[in-house]
Amino acid sequence: MKNQSKILHSDNYHWDTVPRKVYKTDTNNFKDISRYSLLGEQEDEQALNFQMRYFEIEPGGYSSLEYHRHPHSVIIIRGSGSVVLGDEVHPLHLHDVVFVSPETLHQFHADNGEKLGFICIVDRYRDRPTIPDEHELEEKVKTAQTREKIRR
Amino acid sequence: MKNQSKILHSDNYHWDTVPRKVYKTDTNNFKDISRYSLLGEQEDEQALNFQMRYFEIEPGGYSSLEYHRHPHSVIIIRGSGSVVLGDEVHPLHLHDVVFVSPETLHQFHADNGEKLGFICIVDRYRDRPTIPDEHELEEKVKTAQTREKIRR
C-alpha cells in the first residue's frame, strides 16, 4: 500500500498548505469565525472515516447555533470562551474537551476578550445541521442565562 | 434523544475524571509513555465512531514501533519531538498535524529534551497493530538515519 502519510507543520495556528476557509456558505447566523480543514478532505486522505478541522473565532464572535445527529469531539487549543450546550452555558479554557452528543443544540462563543480556537472531529459522512426556529428554541432552551447567551 | 453532552475541563494536561492509563499491556517495545482516553470509550459516548486519546511521552521516551490498517490523525499539543513515518524521520513541534496512513510504520519520540504530548484520533473499530520483526524492518526501512532512530 502506498505511503500517503504526511506532516502539516504549524506556525502560530496556521498550517502548511491549509487555507483559511469561509465557515459556512449556506447560513449567516455566525460571526467572525474561520475554518481550516486539517485532515480528511483531501484526495490522499480517503482512508480517514473522520475529518479534523480547526475553527478560530475572533473576540466577540460565535459559531452557528445548530443541532444535528452526528456528534462533535472538540478540544480547545487557543484562548478561551464558552459553549452553549443544550440548555446550559459552560466556560471553556485551554485544552478543555467538549463532547456534543447527537441532536444537542450548540454554539461556541469567543466571549472572554480573546480568540477561541478549537479542533473539531466529525464523521466524514454526516447529516446537515438544523438551524432552530423561534418556536423550537423556546422548546429547547428554558434557562434565562442560556437564552441571553444565544446569538442568531 | 437524551443530551449526553459533556465538558472535560483540563488543568495542566490532566482532565476531569480521565485517569492516566498504561500505554499498552500486550507489548513492551515502548518507553515512558502514558495514555489518556478522552472521548469515545465511555458508555455514554457510543454515538462516536472514533476515539480521542491523549498520549504523553517523557523526555527520552518513545511509542511502540508498529503499523496497522487503520490510519491515525494526530496533533501535537505539548512540547516537541519527532516521528518515524515509514522510511523517514520528521521533527515535530507545537500544533503540527500528522496523518499516519494505513500500513505505515510509525514511532513517536520525545527526543528534544522535553515532553511530547499529542491528541490521536482513531476509528472505534480498528485492527490490532503489527510489531515488525527484524526481517520486516530491513524491508521497510532503508535509510540509515531512520534505522538509527528506531527503538524496539
Side-chain angles (χ1 to χ4, degrees):
Chain A
M1 191 172 290
K2 195 179 165 201
N3 177 0
Q4 298 182 303
S5 299
K6 65 173 99 174
I7 317 267
L8 306 175
H9 288 290
S10 172
D11 180 17
N12 195 30
Y13 301 95
H14 289 80
W15 287 265
D16 291 351
T17 74
V18 178
R20 175 181 181 282
K21 287 190 179 167
V22 173
Y23 171 61
K24 287 179 192 287
T25 54
D26 53 347
T27 68
N28 59 0
N29 61 338
F30 54 85
K31 182 168 178 265
D32 295 343
I33 175 168
S34 302
R35 179 168 70 90
Y36 300 81
S37 175
L38 298 180
L39 285 179
E41 285 192 4
Q42 301 295 317
E43 188 65 33
D44 57 353
E45 301 158 6
Q46 299 296 310
L48 289 169
N49 294 319
F50 47 83
Q51 297 179 342
M52 178 188 279
R53 299 93 49 87
Y54 174 65
F55 294 95
E56 194 171 88
I57 312 179
E58 299 297 317
Y62 46 84
S63 65
S64 168
L65 178 74
E66 62 183 42
Y67 65 92
H68 35 68
R69 284 196 305 278
H70 65 273
H72 282 313
S73 283
V74 166
I75 182 165
I76 310 301
I77 65 166
R78 180 173 205 172
S80 60
S82 69
V83 62
V84 171
L85 210 48
D87 202 6
E88 299 175 356
V89 183
H90 299 270
L92 293 176
H93 295 95
L94 192 65
H95 298 148
D96 285 353
V97 166
V98 185
F99 172 50
V100 182
S101 70
E103 310 289 355
T104 303
L105 193 69
H106 56 282
Q107 183 171 51
F108 289 84
H109 291 261
D111 57 1
N112 203 25
E114 60 180 347
K115 294 186 187 204
L116 177 68
F118 55 90
I119 298 291
C120 177
I121 318 288
V122 288
D123 290 335
R124 170 190 294 277
Y125 300 104
R126 57 188 184 275
D127 60 320
R128 296 193 67 78
T130 298
I131 312 293
D133 62 20
E134 188 58 41
H135 175 73
E136 216 173 346
L137 259 189
E138 281 177 21
E139 290 286 315
K140 286 179 183 283
V141 181
K142 307 289 189 189
T143 308
Q145 184 202 7
T146 308
R147 297 186 67 89
E148 285 162 24
K149 173 58 67 181
I150 283 174
R151 293 290 173 273
R152 300 173 66 198
Chain B
M1 190 172 289
K2 195 178 165 201
N3 177 357
Q4 298 183 302
S5 298
K6 64 173 105 175
I7 317 267
L8 305 175
H9 288 292
S10 172
D11 180 17
N12 194 30
Y13 301 95
H14 289 80
W15 288 265
D16 291 350
T17 74
V18 178
R20 174 181 181 280
K21 288 189 178 168
V22 173
Y23 172 62
K24 287 178 191 287
T25 54
D26 53 346
T27 67
N28 59 0
N29 62 338
F30 54 85
K31 182 167 179 263
D32 296 341
I33 174 168
S34 301
R35 179 168 70 89
Y36 300 80
S37 176
L38 297 180
L39 286 179
E41 285 193 4
Q42 301 295 315
E43 187 65 32
D44 56 354
E45 299 158 6
Q46 299 296 308
L48 289 169
N49 294 319
F50 47 82
Q51 297 179 341
M52 178 188 280
R53 300 94 48 88
Y54 174 65
F55 293 94
E56 194 171 88
I57 312 179
E58 299 296 318
Y62 46 85
S63 64
S64 167
L65 177 75
E66 62 184 43
Y67 65 93
H68 36 68
R69 283 196 306 277
H70 66 274
H72 283 312
S73 282
V74 166
I75 182 165
I76 310 301
I77 65 165
R78 181 174 203 170
S80 61
S82 69
V83 62
V84 171
L85 211 47
D87 202 7
E88 298 176 356
V89 183
H90 300 270
L92 293 175
H93 295 95
L94 193 64
H95 299 148
D96 285 353
V97 167
V98 186
F99 172 49
V100 182
S101 69
E103 310 289 356
T104 302
L105 192 70
H106 56 283
Q107 182 170 52
F108 289 84
H109 291 260
D111 57 0
N112 203 24
E114 59 181 347
K115 293 186 187 205
L116 177 68
F118 55 90
I119 298 292
C120 177
I121 317 289
V122 287
D123 290 334
R124 171 191 293 276
Y125 300 104
R126 57 189 185 272
D127 61 318
R128 295 194 66 77
T130 298
I131 311 293
D133 61 20
E134 188 58 42
H135 175 72
E136 218 173 344
L137 259 188
E138 281 176 22
E139 290 287 315
K140 286 179 185 281
V141 181
K142 307 289 188 189
T143 308
Q145 184 202 9
T146 307
R147 298 185 67 89
E148 283 163 25
K149 173 59 67 181
I150 284 173
R151 295 289 173 274
R152 302 174 64 200

